[in-house]
């Protein structure tokens, strides 16, 4: 919404949320206190806030005044009832739709921005159309393809914008209206119009295909470790084939983030509910491979550290699910930590952008042990170099650029010997680390 406000000065954008604390942070005069860390975001908020970009808790007023309403609430995996662990929880979507239905007095375009299971638009439409006020609602699906850490860049230079809507004259008119917003800064041929169902499904499928690439290369990383092949050389060799392409072939400790796992589980659930067992199993394998990669990394750490990590100090460099974000949802680091804590390791975590509160909340959420036990075995530090004093091992779990700039000889001197580094991001130079004296493990290389 900040990017839309910045690119379309004549459009008034109001972002509303019932969470007062969050809206207060978005209105904070100190732009470093915005709730989300994203390169370039604070500059864009600063340019438009108070001019044509507003953050408010007055939801009803904003609904009443708007022509277009984007529903952008979260749709986490259900943790209860039917579809538990796989289906998307649409509680928040439904509450939004009911609120719009209650308040709206004139025609609105309602845009699904949240990632939703196929055919959710129908449910929204049915709620909206049964208000009995004679108001016409056009429902559009406009999934978001930005990646965290590069959000602003991705929005400004989007490969494509997808707009799904009904194939009626009114539906076409609504799609054109939304398209005209994006046409402020994107060429028209990158704005694709489809029917609602194609648009909703395409979002899930795009994420499934991307995650599948990571799981595919990660499966090969395990094979490379058993042979003399190097996973980077394999990625490069296959990526040069223009039909395969070079992006998203970096082997890692496993993908994380709020989207990949959730959306694939959702796809699996949808396929299964239509009786398409083989289709469901096929996509579920992407998740199974990702879980394997995380488990394999933790098990390798334990085996290398002479089959016991009990009482050993291990430092994590990185907790976020990727660099340049403070988001930790489904981050591989959480699961690696959990596995090592089960073996009674003592962990010290450093991440440049993630708070101590978030790290403990992530661990407590797993419910593997008591919060007290988590706090006894795991600590969080703001000093990455002091952290390694007398450490047995370091695990690099997020590819933050700053890790490459550290004085690794100094780090080596401070650690217990043999000093182990487990690089889950292929971030560091193997030859250099070997020369310093580290026992250096790089995922995807023997
Ligand atoms: C993803 C999609 O890219 C985006 O289009 C969609 O809108 C939301 O989901 P995001 O989750 O923000 O975006 O990050 P992404 O860059 O896709 O990375 C996801 C995970 O895969 C990260 O943990 C990342 O480290 C990992 N990854 C990515 C790899 O391990 N290797 C790769 O080559 C690429």
């Amino acid at each position: 919404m900040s990017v839309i406000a910045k690119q379309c000065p004549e459009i008034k954008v109001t972002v509303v949320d019932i969470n007062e604390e969050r809206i207060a942070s978005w209105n904070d005069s100190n732009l470093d206190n915005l709730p989300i860390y994203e390169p370039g975001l604070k500059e864009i908020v600063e340019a438009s806030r108070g001019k044509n970009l507003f953050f408010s808790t007055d939801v009803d007023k904003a609904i009443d005044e708007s022509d277009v309403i984007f529903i952008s609430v979260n749709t986490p995996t259900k943790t209860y009832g039917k579809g538990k662990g796989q289906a998307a929880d649409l509680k928040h979507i439904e509450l939004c739709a009911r609120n719009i239905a209650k308040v709206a007095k004139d025609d609105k375009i309602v845009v699904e921005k949240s990632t939703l299971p196929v055919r959710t638009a129908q449910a929204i439409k049915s709620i909206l159309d049964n208000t009995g006020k004679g108001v016409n609602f056009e429902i559009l699906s406009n999934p978001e393809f930005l990646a965290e850490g590069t959000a602003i860049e991705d929005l400004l230079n989007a490969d494509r914008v997808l707009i799904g809507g009904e194939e009626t004259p009114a539906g076409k008119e609504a799609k054109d209206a939304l398209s005209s917003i994006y046409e402020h800064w994107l060429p028209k041929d990158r704005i694709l119009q489809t029917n609602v169902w194609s648009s909703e499904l395409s979002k899930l499928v795009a994420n499934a295909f991307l995650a599948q690439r990571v799981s595919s290369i990660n499966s090969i990383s395990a094979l490379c470790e058993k042979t003399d092949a190097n996973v980077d050389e394999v990625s490069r060799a296959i990526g040069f084939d223009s039909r395969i392409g070079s992006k998203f072939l970096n082997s890692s400790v496993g993908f994380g983030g709020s989207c990949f796992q959730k959306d694939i589980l959702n796809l699996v659930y949808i396929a299964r509910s239509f009786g398409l067992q083989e289709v469901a199993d096929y996509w579920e394998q992407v998740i199974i491979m990702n879980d394997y990669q995380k488990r394999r990394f933790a098990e390798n750490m334990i085996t290398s550290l002479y089959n016991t990590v009990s009482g050993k100090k291990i430092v994590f460099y990185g907790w976020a699910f990727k660099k340049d974000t403070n988001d930790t949802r489904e981050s591989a680091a959480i699961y690696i930590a959990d596995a090592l804590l089960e073996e009674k390791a003592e962990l010290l975590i450093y991440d440049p952008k993630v708070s101590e509160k978030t790290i403990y909340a992530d661990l407590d959420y797993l419910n593997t042990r008591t919060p007290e036990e988590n706090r006894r075995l795991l600590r969080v530090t703001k000093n990455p170099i002091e952290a390694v004093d007398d450490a047995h091992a370091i695990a690099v779990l997020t590819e933050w650029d700053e890790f490459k700039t550290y004085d690794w000889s100094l780090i080596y001197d401070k650690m217990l010997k043999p000093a182990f580094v487990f690089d889950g991001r292929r971030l560091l130079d193997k030859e250099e680390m070997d020369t310093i004296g580290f026992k250096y493990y790089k995922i995807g290389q023997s």
Side-chain angles (χ1 to χ4, degrees), residues 144-148 203 207 210 214 248-250 252 254-257 259-260 321-322 399 425:
E144 188 47 67
F145 293 102
L146 68 83
E148 290 177 33
K203 173 63 199 261
N207 274 344
L210 289 169
V214 179
F248 253 71
L249 286 177
N250 293 321
S252 68
F255 62 73
C259 296
F260 282 1
F321 83 98
K322 62 189 276 194
E399 72 283 24
R425 292 293 183 161

mmCIF file of all heavy atoms in Angstrom, residues 144-148 203 207 210 214 248-250 252 254-257 259-260 321-322 399 425, ligand 1:
data_model
loop_
_atom_site.group_PDB
_atom_site.id
_atom_site.type_symbol
_atom_site.label_atom_id
_atom_site.label_comp_id
_atom_site.label_asym_id
_atom_site.label_seq_id
_atom_site.Cartn_x
_atom_site.Cartn_y
_atom_site.Cartn_z
ATOM 1 N N GLU A 144 -0.200 -11.469 -4.244
ATOM 2 C CA GLU A 144 1.055 -10.720 -4.123
ATOM 3 C C GLU A 144 2.243 -11.655 -4.330
ATOM 4 O O GLU A 144 2.312 -12.706 -3.716
ATOM 5 C CB GLU A 144 1.112 -10.102 -2.703
ATOM 6 C CG GLU A 144 2.252 -9.163 -2.514
ATOM 7 C CD GLU A 144 2.356 -8.195 -3.678
ATOM 8 O OE1 GLU A 144 1.455 -7.364 -3.842
ATOM 9 O OE2 GLU A 144 3.324 -8.276 -4.445
ATOM 10 N N PHE A 145 3.151 -11.238 -5.203
ATOM 11 C CA PHE A 145 4.299 -12.094 -5.497
ATOM 12 C C PHE A 145 5.609 -11.568 -4.928
ATOM 13 O O PHE A 145 6.671 -12.134 -5.185
ATOM 14 C CB PHE A 145 4.432 -12.300 -7.012
ATOM 15 C CG PHE A 145 3.295 -13.093 -7.604
ATOM 16 C CD1 PHE A 145 2.278 -12.466 -8.300
ATOM 17 C CD2 PHE A 145 3.234 -14.468 -7.422
ATOM 18 C CE1 PHE A 145 1.221 -13.199 -8.829
ATOM 19 C CE2 PHE A 145 2.178 -15.211 -7.948
ATOM 20 C CZ PHE A 145 1.168 -14.574 -8.655
ATOM 21 N N LEU A 146 5.578 -10.483 -4.177
ATOM 22 C CA LEU A 146 6.850 -9.950 -3.650
ATOM 23 C C LEU A 146 7.480 -10.944 -2.683
ATOM 24 O O LEU A 146 6.777 -11.720 -2.036
ATOM 25 C CB LEU A 146 6.624 -8.610 -2.934
ATOM 26 C CG LEU A 146 5.842 -8.600 -1.619
ATOM 27 C CD1 LEU A 146 6.698 -8.952 -0.425
ATOM 28 C CD2 LEU A 146 5.224 -7.240 -1.414
ATOM 29 N N ALA A 147 8.809 -10.918 -2.619
ATOM 30 C CA ALA A 147 9.515 -11.723 -1.614
ATOM 31 C C ALA A 147 10.022 -10.785 -0.531
ATOM 32 O O ALA A 147 10.353 -9.616 -0.806
ATOM 33 C CB ALA A 147 10.666 -12.481 -2.263
ATOM 34 N N GLU A 148 10.088 -11.269 0.689
ATOM 35 C CA GLU A 148 10.573 -10.429 1.781
ATOM 36 C C GLU A 148 12.057 -10.152 1.598
ATOM 37 O O GLU A 148 12.793 -10.955 1.036
ATOM 38 C CB GLU A 148 10.287 -11.112 3.114
ATOM 39 C CG GLU A 148 8.795 -11.109 3.389
ATOM 40 C CD GLU A 148 8.432 -11.840 4.674
ATOM 41 O OE1 GLU A 148 9.223 -11.811 5.634
ATOM 42 O OE2 GLU A 148 7.356 -12.435 4.705
ATOM 43 N N LYS A 203 -1.306 -18.382 -7.543
ATOM 44 C CA LYS A 203 -0.443 -17.978 -6.428
ATOM 45 C C LYS A 203 0.102 -19.208 -5.696
ATOM 46 O O LYS A 203 1.293 -19.314 -5.415
ATOM 47 C CB LYS A 203 -1.229 -17.076 -5.466
ATOM 48 C CG LYS A 203 -0.497 -16.718 -4.185
ATOM 49 C CD LYS A 203 0.771 -15.914 -4.461
ATOM 50 C CE LYS A 203 1.720 -15.940 -3.304
ATOM 51 N NZ LYS A 203 1.730 -14.826 -2.433
ATOM 52 N N ASN A 207 4.221 -20.514 -5.753
ATOM 53 C CA ASN A 207 5.016 -20.812 -4.561
ATOM 54 C C ASN A 207 5.418 -22.284 -4.512
ATOM 55 O O ASN A 207 6.528 -22.616 -4.114
ATOM 56 C CB ASN A 207 4.253 -20.419 -3.296
ATOM 57 C CG ASN A 207 4.468 -18.956 -2.957
ATOM 58 O OD1 ASN A 207 5.398 -18.324 -3.474
ATOM 59 N ND2 ASN A 207 3.630 -18.399 -2.103
ATOM 60 N N LEU A 210 8.355 -22.737 -6.876
ATOM 61 C CA LEU A 210 9.595 -22.155 -6.340
ATOM 62 C C LEU A 210 10.162 -23.036 -5.234
ATOM 63 O O LEU A 210 11.352 -23.347 -5.210
ATOM 64 C CB LEU A 210 9.324 -20.740 -5.808
ATOM 65 C CG LEU A 210 9.049 -19.684 -6.879
ATOM 66 C CD1 LEU A 210 8.539 -18.394 -6.244
ATOM 67 C CD2 LEU A 210 10.305 -19.414 -7.699
ATOM 68 N N VAL A 214 13.854 -25.414 -4.712
ATOM 69 C CA VAL A 214 14.768 -25.461 -3.568
ATOM 70 C C VAL A 214 14.872 -26.892 -3.042
ATOM 71 O O VAL A 214 15.967 -27.396 -2.783
ATOM 72 C CB VAL A 214 14.317 -24.482 -2.453
ATOM 73 C CG1 VAL A 214 15.259 -24.550 -1.271
ATOM 74 C CG2 VAL A 214 14.237 -23.058 -2.982
ATOM 75 N N PHE A 248 16.955 -19.447 -7.962
ATOM 76 C CA PHE A 248 16.332 -20.350 -6.976
ATOM 77 C C PHE A 248 16.923 -21.758 -6.998
ATOM 78 O O PHE A 248 16.212 -22.747 -6.828
ATOM 79 C CB PHE A 248 14.807 -20.395 -7.201
ATOM 80 C CG PHE A 248 14.084 -19.635 -6.125
ATOM 81 C CD1 PHE A 248 14.161 -18.251 -6.078
ATOM 82 C CD2 PHE A 248 13.385 -20.288 -5.136
ATOM 83 C CE1 PHE A 248 13.543 -17.541 -5.073
ATOM 84 C CE2 PHE A 248 12.759 -19.592 -4.125
ATOM 85 C CZ PHE A 248 12.835 -18.216 -4.090
ATOM 86 N N LEU A 249 18.230 -21.821 -7.209
ATOM 87 C CA LEU A 249 18.900 -23.121 -7.166
ATOM 88 C C LEU A 249 20.006 -23.103 -6.122
ATOM 89 O O LEU A 249 20.988 -23.828 -6.260
ATOM 90 C CB LEU A 249 19.467 -23.459 -8.553
ATOM 91 C CG LEU A 249 18.450 -23.876 -9.619
ATOM 92 C CD1 LEU A 249 19.138 -24.115 -10.961
ATOM 93 C CD2 LEU A 249 17.701 -25.137 -9.196
ATOM 94 N N ASN A 250 19.874 -22.240 -5.110
ATOM 95 C CA ASN A 250 20.875 -22.225 -4.046
ATOM 96 C C ASN A 250 20.511 -23.250 -2.993
ATOM 97 O O ASN A 250 19.477 -23.139 -2.342
ATOM 98 C CB ASN A 250 20.943 -20.841 -3.372
ATOM 99 C CG ASN A 250 21.469 -19.802 -4.315
ATOM 100 O OD1 ASN A 250 22.382 -20.068 -5.105
ATOM 101 N ND2 ASN A 250 20.883 -18.613 -4.267
ATOM 102 N N SER A 252 20.427 -24.967 0.509
ATOM 103 C CA SER A 252 20.416 -24.336 1.830
ATOM 104 C C SER A 252 19.996 -25.358 2.876
ATOM 105 O O SER A 252 19.687 -26.506 2.562
ATOM 106 C CB SER A 252 19.416 -23.188 1.844
ATOM 107 O OG SER A 252 18.103 -23.705 1.730
ATOM 108 N N GLY A 254 17.372 -25.427 4.183
ATOM 109 C CA GLY A 254 15.926 -25.645 4.027
ATOM 110 C C GLY A 254 15.201 -24.323 3.879
ATOM 111 O O GLY A 254 15.601 -23.338 4.477
ATOM 112 N N PHE A 255 14.145 -24.335 3.091
ATOM 113 C CA PHE A 255 13.404 -23.073 2.938
ATOM 114 C C PHE A 255 12.539 -22.815 4.156
ATOM 115 O O PHE A 255 12.095 -23.737 4.835
ATOM 116 C CB PHE A 255 12.592 -23.049 1.641
ATOM 117 C CG PHE A 255 11.521 -24.115 1.517
ATOM 118 C CD1 PHE A 255 10.342 -24.053 2.258
ATOM 119 C CD2 PHE A 255 11.690 -25.177 0.638
ATOM 120 C CE1 PHE A 255 9.361 -25.018 2.124
ATOM 121 C CE2 PHE A 255 10.701 -26.158 0.498
ATOM 122 C CZ PHE A 255 9.542 -26.078 1.245
ATOM 123 N N GLY A 256 12.326 -21.526 4.427
ATOM 124 C CA GLY A 256 11.423 -21.135 5.499
ATOM 125 C C GLY A 256 10.518 -20.044 4.957
ATOM 126 O O GLY A 256 10.352 -19.912 3.747
ATOM 127 N N GLY A 257 9.963 -19.237 5.872
ATOM 128 C CA GLY A 257 9.102 -18.145 5.444
ATOM 129 C C GLY A 257 7.647 -18.495 5.639
ATOM 130 O O GLY A 257 7.278 -19.645 5.873
ATOM 131 N N CYS A 259 5.239 -18.423 3.560
ATOM 132 C CA CYS A 259 4.429 -18.790 2.390
ATOM 133 C C CYS A 259 4.600 -20.219 1.900
ATOM 134 O O CYS A 259 3.618 -20.917 1.676
ATOM 135 C CB CYS A 259 4.738 -17.853 1.233
ATOM 136 S SG CYS A 259 4.265 -16.170 1.599
ATOM 137 N N PHE A 260 5.841 -20.633 1.679
ATOM 138 C CA PHE A 260 6.050 -21.881 0.938
ATOM 139 C C PHE A 260 5.336 -23.065 1.584
ATOM 140 O O PHE A 260 4.541 -23.755 0.951
ATOM 141 C CB PHE A 260 7.550 -22.174 0.804
ATOM 142 C CG PHE A 260 8.236 -21.372 -0.263
ATOM 143 C CD1 PHE A 260 7.539 -20.442 -1.017
ATOM 144 C CD2 PHE A 260 9.581 -21.529 -0.527
ATOM 145 C CE1 PHE A 260 8.159 -19.699 -2.007
ATOM 146 C CE2 PHE A 260 10.219 -20.799 -1.502
ATOM 147 C CZ PHE A 260 9.512 -19.887 -2.249
ATOM 148 N N PHE A 321 14.519 -16.196 8.422
ATOM 149 C CA PHE A 321 14.384 -17.267 7.413
ATOM 150 C C PHE A 321 15.163 -16.965 6.143
ATOM 151 O O PHE A 321 15.361 -17.834 5.305
ATOM 152 C CB PHE A 321 12.911 -17.565 7.123
ATOM 153 C CG PHE A 321 12.246 -16.647 6.131
ATOM 154 C CD1 PHE A 321 12.105 -17.022 4.806
ATOM 155 C CD2 PHE A 321 11.741 -15.418 6.521
ATOM 156 C CE1 PHE A 321 11.485 -16.189 3.876
ATOM 157 C CE2 PHE A 321 11.126 -14.576 5.610
ATOM 158 C CZ PHE A 321 10.997 -14.965 4.285
ATOM 159 N N LYS A 322 15.617 -15.710 6.015
ATOM 160 C CA LYS A 322 16.515 -15.316 4.927
ATOM 161 C C LYS A 322 17.106 -13.968 5.320
ATOM 162 O O LYS A 322 16.674 -13.376 6.311
ATOM 163 C CB LYS A 322 15.771 -15.230 3.588
ATOM 164 C CG LYS A 322 14.662 -14.186 3.595
ATOM 165 C CD LYS A 322 13.794 -14.264 2.359
ATOM 166 C CE LYS A 322 14.400 -13.507 1.215
ATOM 167 N NZ LYS A 322 13.429 -13.288 0.108
ATOM 168 N N GLU A 399 21.839 -16.048 5.529
ATOM 169 C CA GLU A 399 22.942 -15.577 4.690
ATOM 170 C C GLU A 399 23.205 -14.070 4.815
ATOM 171 O O GLU A 399 23.490 -13.392 3.822
ATOM 172 C CB GLU A 399 22.709 -15.996 3.231
ATOM 173 C CG GLU A 399 21.588 -15.257 2.478
ATOM 174 C CD GLU A 399 20.176 -15.703 2.809
ATOM 175 O OE1 GLU A 399 19.943 -16.249 3.896
ATOM 176 O OE2 GLU A 399 19.288 -15.468 1.958
ATOM 177 N N ARG A 425 24.319 -22.154 4.594
ATOM 178 C CA ARG A 425 23.949 -21.221 3.521
ATOM 179 C C ARG A 425 24.993 -21.120 2.427
ATOM 180 O O ARG A 425 24.896 -20.262 1.558
ATOM 181 C CB ARG A 425 23.702 -19.832 4.126
ATOM 182 C CG ARG A 425 22.478 -19.762 5.013
ATOM 183 C CD ARG A 425 21.225 -19.953 4.189
ATOM 184 N NE ARG A 425 20.023 -19.834 4.997
ATOM 185 C CZ ARG A 425 18.829 -19.597 4.480
ATOM 186 N NH1 ARG A 425 18.673 -19.460 3.188
ATOM 187 N NH2 ARG A 425 17.778 -19.528 5.253
HETATM 188 C C1 LIG B 1 8.095 -16.300 -1.409
HETATM 189 C C2 LIG B 1 7.974 -16.086 -2.926
HETATM 190 O O1 LIG B 1 9.274 -15.938 -3.503
HETATM 191 C C3 LIG B 1 7.126 -14.856 -3.213
HETATM 192 O O2 LIG B 1 6.926 -14.712 -4.625
HETATM 193 C C4 LIG B 1 5.797 -14.998 -2.522
HETATM 194 O O3 LIG B 1 5.029 -13.828 -2.714
HETATM 195 C C5 LIG B 1 5.986 -15.247 -1.040
HETATM 196 O O4 LIG B 1 6.819 -16.388 -0.834
HETATM 197 P P1 LIG B 1 9.559 -15.228 0.560
HETATM 198 O O5 LIG B 1 9.007 -16.340 1.394
HETATM 199 O O6 LIG B 1 9.502 -13.850 1.084
HETATM 200 O O7 LIG B 1 8.821 -15.195 -0.865
HETATM 201 O O8 LIG B 1 11.109 -15.544 0.265
HETATM 202 P P2 LIG B 1 11.900 -16.371 -0.847
HETATM 203 O O9 LIG B 1 12.972 -15.503 -1.366
HETATM 204 O O10 LIG B 1 11.022 -17.003 -1.839
HETATM 205 O O11 LIG B 1 12.628 -17.496 0.030
HETATM 206 C C6 LIG B 1 11.906 -18.538 0.695
HETATM 207 C C7 LIG B 1 12.873 -19.482 1.376
HETATM 208 O O12 LIG B 1 13.583 -20.267 0.422
HETATM 209 C C8 LIG B 1 13.936 -18.780 2.215
HETATM 210 O O13 LIG B 1 14.128 -19.481 3.424
HETATM 211 C C9 LIG B 1 15.163 -18.851 1.339
HETATM 212 O O14 LIG B 1 16.344 -18.796 2.076
HETATM 213 C C10 LIG B 1 14.973 -20.203 0.674
HETATM 214 N N1 LIG B 1 15.683 -20.318 -0.603
HETATM 215 C C11 LIG B 1 15.373 -19.532 -1.662
HETATM 216 C C12 LIG B 1 16.696 -21.253 -0.723
HETATM 217 O O15 LIG B 1 17.015 -21.985 0.216
HETATM 218 N N2 LIG B 1 17.363 -21.362 -1.928
HETATM 219 C C13 LIG B 1 17.047 -20.594 -2.997
HETATM 220 O O16 LIG B 1 17.696 -20.753 -4.055
HETATM 221 C C14 LIG B 1 16.039 -19.634 -2.867
#
